[in-house]
């Protein structure tokens, strides 16, 4: 892939800007608390910035007040204080508020807040709040319906609905805890983020029913009780039996549930659940367990009967549906489908007979998100990497002729939201040199208002210089790298370097955003005299199917080759000490760190691997089998990637870190690695975080990153 000339200018500009910022920097150094949990060092934002329903007004939270503005006027004014909202909720039977809950606008003058196990509606004109409905204080997976009147929630393994003026209704009454209702299925793969799907009117609810009785129990241990308590979870490992999912539809009026007849085999994936606008049908992207064959099926929402297959998609490696159907306003028989069938995620306009009307976008770039249609259903707004693989920009495409128009201004990573009228856009973005800027745009891209220009929160700190640049993989593929050099770099000296690595699917570490996508711990390390380096290797996100599928059936092989190209670049720099290279990563990055330490044992002196996958046979079905097939189908690939086979190669210092309650990369991975090291007489270091899941958050993260830092300082 070639780099556009315009983007080469951006990269050069960033180098110059970074150098300029370095000259202006002051003398302060970052503490670990600063780097990890000091909110004052993050760019300023407008809390809960959102559009007011049915208007071209917007609101945000500032200084314990709700502030309102309009696209038609630059003036803003406070319309509600926290104290007043709190008093109104207390008058309605609630408790005092310490901060604003999440607000969801119902109309131009009222909003809904789900807090304290109640759904409140607050009226700005009367200044009063009323309780719409209440729900259990042990509710989880709370899902407010589109009319903002009803709540679906789960409690333990069952599903409930709360409606105004009536007791909560149990949709399911399942005693077997291995059968769960209303929770995200398939371990949240395929873009699945929840397990309930309200019909547009809120009168019906589709939901996942997941039968896990055939899945082996996996033990997690809770040490907060004496004696310690066993907490079994269902964890389907690659090549083993998978759960069986079905989709129920509950009618709130009749209180009856029907199940969609999704058929056999039971081991299939039901993804991208979408209601038709008239609520008569439900569409599901049905994917086989091999994940190489997809059918977009239509089902009758009243009877559950299969209606038809609209179309099929096949790929010799895998198909990965991650978006539902986007129905065109005013044309209930037309929808937009997102597919990577061309090698990149693009937009396709279909009718409900399954006929492709036209491909709307094309090119060697990715559509990254869908924001919605204009009010007349003539144009669709989307974000993409068309400008650069490192950027997200907003576009609109004409559904009739497929012509696209760029809306957002300036290079960077844009996170836009459309106004209800679709005439305006709130554009929250950052770039290499912009901590954050929030613009209000017209839908043709004109900047109408600047709502926020965040100051650089790091001006008093003596930071390193960050550069982003391309390097080449061994097959000529362009890879993007980021390097942070120590403040006041002396090129006559030799500095140790630490490679921060991930390298797995769906993740992109190097972007045209604030600090180039890096974090303040990396700047702290640069202040301590380390060169910090990252490269997004093949297999990582937002670069298209060929880039991602380069690692198919051989996780860890191509990624290592690409990371070594980064190392080759580092070694070419006169100020990098090639004998003092470190590597650190978490999860897939922990797998990569351990791989690099043992499959290329002469390259890195020190490694710190957090939550590492050691043996892909122990990882979950959906993710692993997509990229590796099953262990039975691909024994050579699993064996080559199994890091237990390389323990004896370890030459440098390696620290493994794991949370003892990790439900994602189970503790067994690193424990087996330690066992193998003991068996072979290989010395390495190990640290656990009791009770922590897959990552270490909150104040304990300060402890974690100090542990990581100390290990490099002591050994590199």
């Amino acid at each position: 892939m070639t780099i556009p000339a315009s983007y080469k200018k951006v990269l050069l500009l960033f180098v110059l800007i970074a150098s300029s910022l370095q000259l202006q920097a002051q003398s302060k150094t970052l503490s670990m608390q600063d780097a990890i949990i000091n909110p004052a060092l993050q760019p300023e934002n407008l809390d809960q910035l959102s559009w007011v329903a049915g208007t071209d007004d917007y609101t945000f939270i500032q200084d314990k007040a709700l502030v309102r503005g309009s696209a038609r006027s630059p003036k803003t004014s406070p319309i509600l204080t926290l104290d007043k909202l709190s008093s109104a909720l207390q008058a309605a039977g609630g408790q005092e508020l310490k901060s604003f809950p999440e607000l969801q606008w119902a109309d131009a003058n009222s909003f809904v807040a789900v807090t304290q196990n109640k759904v409140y509606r607050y009226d700005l004109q009367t200044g009063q709040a009323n309780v719409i409905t209440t729900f259990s204080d042990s509710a989880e997976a709370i899902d407010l319906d589109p009319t903002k009147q009803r709540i679906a929630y789960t409690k333990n393994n069952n599903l409930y609905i709360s409606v105004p003026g009536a007791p909560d209704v149990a949709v399911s009454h399942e005693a077997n805890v291995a059968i769960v209702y209303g929770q995200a299925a398939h371990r949240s793969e395929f873009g699945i983020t929840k397990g309930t799907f309200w019909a547009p009117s809120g009168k019906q609810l589709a939901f996942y029913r997941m039968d896990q009785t055939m899945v082996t129990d996996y033990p997690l241990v809770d040490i907060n009780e004496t004696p310690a308590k066993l907490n079994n979870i269902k964890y389907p490992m690659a090549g083993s039996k998978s759960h069986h999912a079905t989709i129920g539809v509950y009618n709130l009026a009749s209180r009856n549930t029907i199940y969609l007849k999704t058929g056999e085999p039971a081991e299939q994936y039901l993804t991208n659940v979408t209601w038709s606008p008239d609520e008569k049908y439900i569409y599901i992207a049905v994917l086989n367990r091999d994940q190489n064959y997809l059918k977009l099926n239509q089902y009758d929402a009243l009877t559950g009967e299969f209606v038809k297959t609209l179309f099929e998609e096949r790929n010799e490696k895998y198909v990965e549906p991650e978006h539902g159907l986007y129905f065109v306003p005013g044309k209930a028989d037309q929808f937009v489908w997102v597919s990577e069938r061309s090698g990149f995620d693009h937009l396709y306009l279909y009718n409900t007979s399954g006929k492709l009307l036209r491909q709307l976008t094309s090119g060697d770039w990715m559509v990254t998100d869908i924001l919605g249609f204009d009010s007349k259903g003539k144009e669709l707004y989307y974000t993409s990497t068309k400008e650069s693989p490192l950027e997200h920009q907003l576009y609109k495409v004409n559904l009739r002729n497929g012509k696209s128009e760029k809306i957002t201004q300036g290079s960077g990573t844009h996170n836009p939201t459309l106004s209800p009228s679709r005439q305006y856009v709130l554009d929250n973005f950052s770039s290499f040199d912009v901590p954050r800027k929030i613009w209000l745009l017209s839908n043709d891209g004109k900047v109408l208002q600047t709502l926020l220009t965040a100051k650089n929160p790091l001006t008093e700190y003596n930071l390193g210089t960050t550069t982003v640049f391309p390097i080449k993989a061994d097959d000529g593929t362009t890879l993007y790298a980021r390097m942070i050099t120590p403040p006041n770099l002396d090129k006559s000296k030799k500095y140790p370097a630490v490679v921060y690595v991930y390298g797995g699917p769906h993740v992109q570490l190097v972007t045209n955003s604030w600090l180039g996508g890096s974090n303040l711990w990396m700047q702290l390390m640069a202040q301590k005299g380390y060169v910090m380096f990252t490269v997004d290797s093949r297999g990582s996100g937002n670069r298209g199917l060929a880039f991602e599928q380069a690692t198919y059936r051989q996780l860890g092989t191509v990624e290592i080759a690409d990371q070594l190209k980064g190392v080759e670049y580092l070694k070419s720099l006169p100020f990098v000490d090639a004998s003092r290279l470190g590597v650190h990563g978490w999860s897939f990055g922990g797998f990569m760190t351990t791989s690099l330490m043992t499959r290329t044992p002469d390259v890195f002196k020190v490694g710190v691997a957090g939550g590492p996958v050691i043996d892909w046979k122990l990882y979950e079905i959906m993710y692993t089998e997509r990229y590796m097939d099953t262990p039975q189908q691909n024994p050579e690939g699993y064996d080559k990637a199994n890091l237990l086979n390389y323990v004896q190669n370890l030459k440098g210092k390696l620290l493994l870190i794991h949370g003892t309650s990790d439900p994602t990369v189970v503790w067994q991975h690193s424990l087996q690695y330690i066992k193998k090291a003991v068996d072979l007489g290989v010395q390495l270091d190990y640290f656990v975080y009791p009770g922590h899941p897959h990552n270490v958050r909150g104040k304990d993260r300060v402890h974690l990153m100090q542990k990581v830092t100390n290990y490099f300082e002591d050994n590199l």
Side-chain angles (χ1 to χ4, degrees):
M1 183 175 181
T2 58
I3 304 173
S6 61
Y7 199 67
K8 290 181 179 178
K9 293 179 181 178
V10 172
L11 291 174
L12 177 59
L13 176 62
F14 175 54
V15 174
L16 296 175
I17 290 172
S19 300
S20 174
L21 289 174
Q22 174 62 30
L23 290 174
Q24 298 172 25
Q26 303 300 311
S27 58
K28 292 180 70 172
T29 58
L30 293 161
S31 69
M32 193 61 69
Q33 287 79 8
D34 284 336
I36 307 304
I37 59 173
N38 184 354
L41 296 187
Q42 299 303 314
E44 181 187 0
N45 202 357
L46 295 180
D47 186 27
Q48 291 202 48
L49 176 64
S50 63
W51 291 103
V52 177
T55 75
D56 289 320
D57 292 356
Y58 58 87
T59 56
F60 56 88
I61 309 296
Q62 189 175 66
D63 298 328
K64 294 187 176 182
L66 181 64
V67 178
R68 187 165 184 162
S70 172
R72 295 183 172 87
S73 169
K75 296 181 180 179
T76 62
S77 59
I79 59 171
L80 178 64
T81 65
L82 176 61
D83 287 344
K84 186 174 181 180
L85 177 61
S86 181
S87 296
L89 264 60
Q90 289 178 76
Q95 300 174 358
E96 181 183 2
L97 293 175
K98 301 299 183 183
S99 61
F100 272 93
E102 181 181 351
L103 309 181
Q104 300 184 48
W105 285 96
D107 56 41
N109 293 300
S110 65
F111 59 76
V112 167
V114 181
T115 183
Q116 303 171 5
N117 304 112
K118 295 180 177 68
V119 180
Y120 292 95
R121 187 180 184 118
Y122 182 85
D123 189 309
L124 286 169
Q125 294 179 326
T126 65
Q128 294 181 336
N130 67 288
V131 177
I132 296 175
T133 189
T134 63
F135 52 92
S136 170
D137 58 5
S138 56
E140 297 180 321
I142 296 167
D143 188 11
L144 183 65
D145 86 307
T147 70
K148 298 177 175 52
Q149 294 287 314
R150 311 166 182 92
I151 286 281
Y153 67 90
T154 62
K155 187 166 64 174
N156 298 322
N157 60 314
N158 282 298
L159 174 63
Y160 300 83
I161 293 177
S162 173
V163 298
D168 290 6
V169 175
V171 176
S172 61
H173 301 83
E174 181 59 62
N176 189 337
V177 296
I179 300 175
V180 298
Y181 291 77
Q183 298 181 21
H186 313 317
R187 292 189 71 84
S188 300
E189 296 291 333
F190 315 111
I192 295 170
T193 59
K194 61 178 186 172
T196 51
F197 309 90
W198 284 104
S201 69
K203 295 178 180 179
Q204 298 183 87
L205 178 72
F207 59 89
Y208 280 120
R209 176 188 185 273
M210 193 162 53
D211 183 351
Q212 302 182 103
T213 55
M214 68 293 298
V215 177
T216 304
D217 284 343
Y218 193 88
L220 301 179
V221 178
D222 180 0
I223 65 167
N224 291 319
E225 298 187 24
T226 302
K229 181 181 177 182
L230 175 65
N231 176 24
N232 279 324
I233 64 170
K234 293 293 185 178
Y235 193 98
M237 293 181 176
S240 65
K241 291 183 178 180
S242 182
H243 59 250
H244 299 171
T246 50
I247 292 176
V249 181
Y250 179 79
N251 186 296
L252 274 69
S254 68
R255 296 196 175 188
N256 289 329
T257 298
I258 60 100
Y259 284 89
L260 305 185
K261 297 177 181 178
T262 49
E264 298 291 336
E267 287 192 348
Q268 60 185 359
Y269 302 127
L270 307 179
T271 74
N272 313 116
V273 179
T274 309
W275 283 92
S276 64
D278 61 10
E279 304 186 7
K280 292 181 179 180
Y281 303 103
I282 293 177
Y283 296 85
I284 303 174
V286 180
L287 193 65
N288 64 336
R289 177 164 170 172
D290 283 342
Q291 301 185 50
N292 56 14
Y293 173 45
L294 174 151
K295 297 181 293 183
L296 182 62
N297 287 348
Q298 181 187 34
Y299 299 89
D300 189 304
L302 181 64
T303 66
E305 293 291 337
F306 167 77
V307 179
K308 63 176 178 290
T309 296
L310 278 71
F311 56 79
E312 302 173 350
E313 290 191 11
R314 299 177 185 267
N315 186 285
E316 62 179 6
K317 295 177 180 176
Y318 52 83
V319 179
E320 189 180 3
E322 295 185 90
H323 299 268
L325 287 65
Y326 297 90
F327 279 93
V328 179
K331 295 182 179 179
D333 63 339
Q334 292 186 15
F335 64 91
V336 171
W337 177 252
V338 182
S339 173
E340 210 167 3
R341 65 182 66 162
S342 70
F344 295 85
D345 268 331
H346 281 296
L347 306 177
Y348 299 82
L349 181 65
Y350 275 91
N351 66 24
T352 50
S353 297
K355 179 182 178 181
L356 176 62
L357 302 180
R358 67 188 55 86
Q359 182 173 345
L360 297 173
T361 60
S362 61
D364 292 350
W365 44 271
M366 299 282 283
V367 169
T368 54
D369 195 14
I370 308 295
L371 278 75
F373 298 87
D374 70 347
S375 57
K376 296 181 180 179
K378 294 183 178 180
E379 295 176 319
L380 176 66
Y381 293 81
Y382 66 93
T383 56
S384 83
T385 63
K386 184 177 182 179
E387 194 78 6
S388 159
L390 306 186
E391 298 186 4
H392 291 186
Q393 301 274 0
L394 176 64
Y395 300 79
K396 60 182 177 182
V397 60
N398 186 293
L399 300 187
R400 184 177 57 81
N401 57 30
K403 291 184 178 180
S404 283
E405 177 185 342
K406 182 170 174 284
I407 296 175
T408 41
Q409 306 296 314
S411 64
T413 299
H414 295 256
N415 296 289
T417 55
L418 290 174
S419 69
S421 69
R422 304 312 199 232
Q423 295 184 46
Y424 304 100
V425 178
L426 288 172
D427 180 22
N428 188 330
F429 76 98
S430 74
S431 65
F432 295 134
D433 57 313
V434 176
R436 187 186 310 279
K437 191 179 285 286
I438 301 178
W439 280 333
L440 194 152
L441 311 175
S442 61
N443 62 5
D444 59 2
K446 182 180 179 181
V447 178
L448 303 177
Q449 297 179 32
T450 300
L451 305 188
L452 174 70
T453 300
K455 297 178 181 178
N456 180 355
L458 302 168
T459 52
E460 296 181 358
Y461 290 82
N462 189 21
L463 301 182
T465 299
T466 303
T467 52
V468 171
F469 50 90
I471 62 174
K472 293 291 185 181
D474 52 18
D475 69 345
T477 300
T478 296
L479 309 173
Y480 290 99
R482 179 186 63 234
M483 184 171 65
I484 306 171
T485 52
N488 308 313
L489 178 72
D490 184 347
K491 292 187 177 181
S492 67
K493 294 183 178 180
K494 294 284 189 179
Y495 296 86
V498 173
V499 174
Y500 182 79
V501 62
Y502 187 82
H506 296 178
V507 172
Q508 183 181 19
L509 297 178
V510 183
T511 57
N512 183 357
S513 58
W514 180 235
L515 302 179
S518 66
N519 58 45
L520 293 185
W521 174 75
M522 297 176 188
Q523 287 288 348
L524 180 150
M525 292 292 285
Q527 288 181 335
K528 289 179 175 290
Y530 295 88
V531 174
M532 301 300 294
F533 185 84
T534 293
V535 60
D536 280 324
S537 51
R538 281 171 291 174
S540 55
N542 287 329
R543 295 291 303 277
L545 206 55
F547 191 89
E548 181 179 281
Q549 290 186 341
T551 66
Y552 180 64
R553 289 172 65 95
Q554 53 172 346
L555 289 178
T557 298
V558 173
E559 301 97 316
I560 285 177
D562 288 354
Q563 294 299 324
L564 292 182
K565 281 294 182 180
V567 169
E568 183 180 303
Y569 171 81
L570 281 174
K571 289 182 174 180
S572 73
L573 301 174
F575 53 85
V576 171
D577 186 344
S579 68
R580 299 172 66 200
L581 300 182
V583 58
H584 170 49
W586 202 276
S587 193
F588 198 101
F591 163 70
M592 285 299 299
T593 296
T594 312
S595 299
L596 289 162
M597 290 297 297
T598 55
R599 292 182 65 178
T600 58
D602 295 312
V603 176
F604 293 95
K605 184 179 180 182
V606 181
V608 181
V613 175
I614 298 297
D615 180 355
W616 286 102
K617 294 193 298 294
L618 302 180
Y619 199 61
E620 58 100 340
I621 281 180
M622 278 62 67
Y623 184 101
T624 308
E625 292 184 2
R626 181 184 313 132
Y627 306 116
M628 289 287 283
D629 288 334
T630 67
Q632 296 84 356
Q633 294 167 324
N634 183 22
E636 297 85 1
Y638 277 83
D639 188 62
K640 186 175 182 180
N642 188 345
L643 301 184
L644 298 177
N645 296 327
Y646 306 99
V647 177
Q648 67 277 7
N649 297 342
L650 181 65
K651 293 183 179 180
K653 296 284 290 184
L654 176 61
L655 169 63
L656 299 186
I657 303 175
H658 218 130
T660 64
S661 297
D662 193 335
T664 305
V665 180
V666 293
W667 195 10
Q668 186 174 354
H669 283 269
S670 61
L671 288 175
Q672 285 196 350
Y673 197 87
I674 294 296
K675 175 66 165 61
K676 186 65 175 285
V678 172
D679 290 345
L680 296 175
V682 173
Q683 293 289 335
L684 68 155
D685 296 302
Y686 195 61
F687 195 86
V688 299
Y689 281 88
H692 277 277
H694 186 48
N695 217 317
V696 180
R697 304 295 185 190
K699 67 178 182 59
D700 289 357
R701 189 163 185 84
V702 176
H703 187 281
L704 165 67
M705 297 315 298
Q706 190 63 60
K707 171 70 65 176
V708 174
T709 302
N710 290 349
Y711 200 75
F712 284 122
E713 290 188 301
D714 292 344
N715 297 289
L716 191 60

